[in-house]
């Protein structure tokens, strides 16, 4: 993500530790995103905002050739520990163009739980359309607008930036509330075709790990995931 809103220092360390087993990440968002990605055997995949490398690792296990980019050097260090030299990992501020990549050089792009942290979302979407081959797919996930409304209250149409506190009260993450209308409009305006929209539910085995979270995530939306495609000429 952007260097400004990326998870630096203690925030990055906290996220890296949590994302491996969290009901939200490991049992809800990641399975949904990987299901939307589908078969990536031999595919060139760009992991946008690769974080601590959990999605990169899963994509490698599915036979993909992965390039991961991340604005946090803290998280990039965790990703390198996780996948070693099996993937190309590079520091990159997602508020800036993807100038390291040529046109149509990737088959798939994955952008998991990054979109709502960015200010230059339209630029990034345009760049992703450029670097994907015709027919290539972008799988993107973000916070669910209804979940944000339930949590913050006020107007559903409030698209303000919020600082979400972490268990350590001295730490927080910054992101923007976005409506479904805004999200879909941005995707389509960038030139993508929307193939599938998913409201991820938790894996059934979460019930054995954390029944309370399983019930909550099974009854209230938390994330929104989409598979977009660069149209053929």
């Amino acid at each position: 993500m952007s260097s400004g809103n990326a998870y630096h220092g203690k925030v990055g360390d906290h996220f890296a530790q949590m994302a491996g087993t969290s009901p939200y990440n490991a049992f809800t968002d990641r399975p949904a995103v990987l299901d939307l990605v589908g078969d990536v055997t031999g595919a060139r995949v760009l992991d946008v905002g690769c974080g601590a490398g959990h999605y990169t690792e899963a994509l490698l296990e599915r036979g993909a050739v992965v390039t991961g980019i991340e604005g946090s050097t803290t998280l990039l260090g965790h990703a390198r520990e996780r996948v070693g030299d099996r993937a190309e990992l590079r520091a990159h501020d997602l508020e800036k163009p993807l100038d390291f990549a040529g046109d149509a050089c990737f088959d798939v792009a994955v952008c998991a739980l990054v979109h709502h942290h960015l200010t230059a979302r339209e630029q990034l979407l345009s760049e992703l359309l450029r670097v994907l081959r015709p027919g290539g797919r972008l799988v993107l996930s973000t916070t669910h607008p209804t979940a944000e409304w339930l949590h913050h209250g006020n107007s559903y149409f409030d698209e303000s930036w919020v600082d979400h506190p972490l268990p350590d009260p001295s730490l927080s993450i910054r992101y923007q509330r976005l409506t479904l209308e805004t999200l879909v409009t941005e995707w389509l305006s960038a030139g993508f075709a929307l193939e599938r929209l998913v409201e991820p539910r938790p894996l059934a085995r979460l019930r054995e790990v954390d029944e309370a979270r399983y019930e909550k995530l099974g009854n209230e939306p938390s994330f929104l995931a989409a598979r977009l495609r660069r149209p053929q000429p």
Side-chain angles (χ1 to χ4, degrees):
M1 62 189 70
S2 73
S3 59
N5 290 333
Y7 297 170
H8 299 289
K10 291 183 179 179
V11 175
D13 291 333
H14 169 81
F15 177 78
Q17 181 179 16
M18 175 201 68
T21 58
S22 163
Y24 295 92
N25 299 90
F27 288 89
T28 307
D29 182 73
R30 197 149 62 242
V33 166
L34 293 171
D35 181 64
L36 287 174
V37 167
D39 183 14
V40 288
T41 305
R44 301 160 298 170
V45 180
L46 178 64
D47 188 357
V48 182
C50 65
H54 293 94
Y55 294 84
T56 294
E57 183 177 46
L59 292 163
L60 289 168
E61 291 172 353
R62 292 176 172 220
V65 178
V66 185
T67 298
I69 56 176
E70 172 58 50
S72 163
T73 55
T74 302
L75 284 175
L76 209 55
H78 286 286
R80 290 189 172 117
E81 289 179 6
R82 176 161 281 103
V83 303
D85 59 1
R86 291 182 290 153
E88 178 188 355
L89 300 175
R90 60 168 62 227
H92 185 83
D93 185 343
L94 298 186
E95 301 286 3
K96 297 180 179 178
L98 306 179
D99 51 10
F100 63 89
D103 295 351
C105 63
F106 291 102
D107 302 300
V108 179
V110 174
C111 187
L113 301 181
V114 172
H115 198 64
H116 48 289
H117 292 289
L118 302 175
T119 59
R121 294 187 305 274
E122 294 176 0
Q123 174 182 264
L124 177 61
L125 288 168
S126 177
E127 281 287 271
L128 290 173
L129 189 78
R130 177 184 68 81
V131 303
L132 283 170
R133 62 168 175 79
R137 58 196 185 274
L138 164 63
V139 176
L140 180 151
S141 67
T142 187
T143 56
H144 197 297
T146 301
E148 293 302 317
W149 185 31
L150 290 172
H151 180 76
H152 294 285
N154 301 318
S155 170
Y156 167 84
F157 298 101
D158 179 1
E159 293 194 323
S160 59
W161 284 84
V162 296
D163 292 295
H164 180 74
L166 297 177
D168 180 340
S170 68
L171 305 176
S172 64
I173 57 174
R174 185 168 178 78
Y175 64 91
Q176 186 178 7
R177 294 175 59 180
L178 299 167
T179 64
L180 181 60
E181 178 182 344
T182 293
L183 289 166
V184 175
T185 297
E186 288 181 356
W187 302 341
L188 299 182
S189 296
F192 284 100
L194 175 59
E195 284 195 337
R196 190 177 169 198
L197 191 68
V198 175
E199 295 169 302
R201 278 76 152 180
L203 295 178
R205 57 188 175 88
L206 176 60
R207 185 194 292 273
E208 303 170 7
V209 178
D210 189 333
E211 186 169 2
R213 292 290 187 188
Y214 175 79
E215 293 296 333
K216 177 178 174 60
L217 288 166
N219 286 284
E220 297 179 7
S222 184
F223 302 123
L224 195 67
R227 183 169 66 222
L228 311 169
R229 192 171 293 273
R230 176 181 174 179
Q232 298 278 3

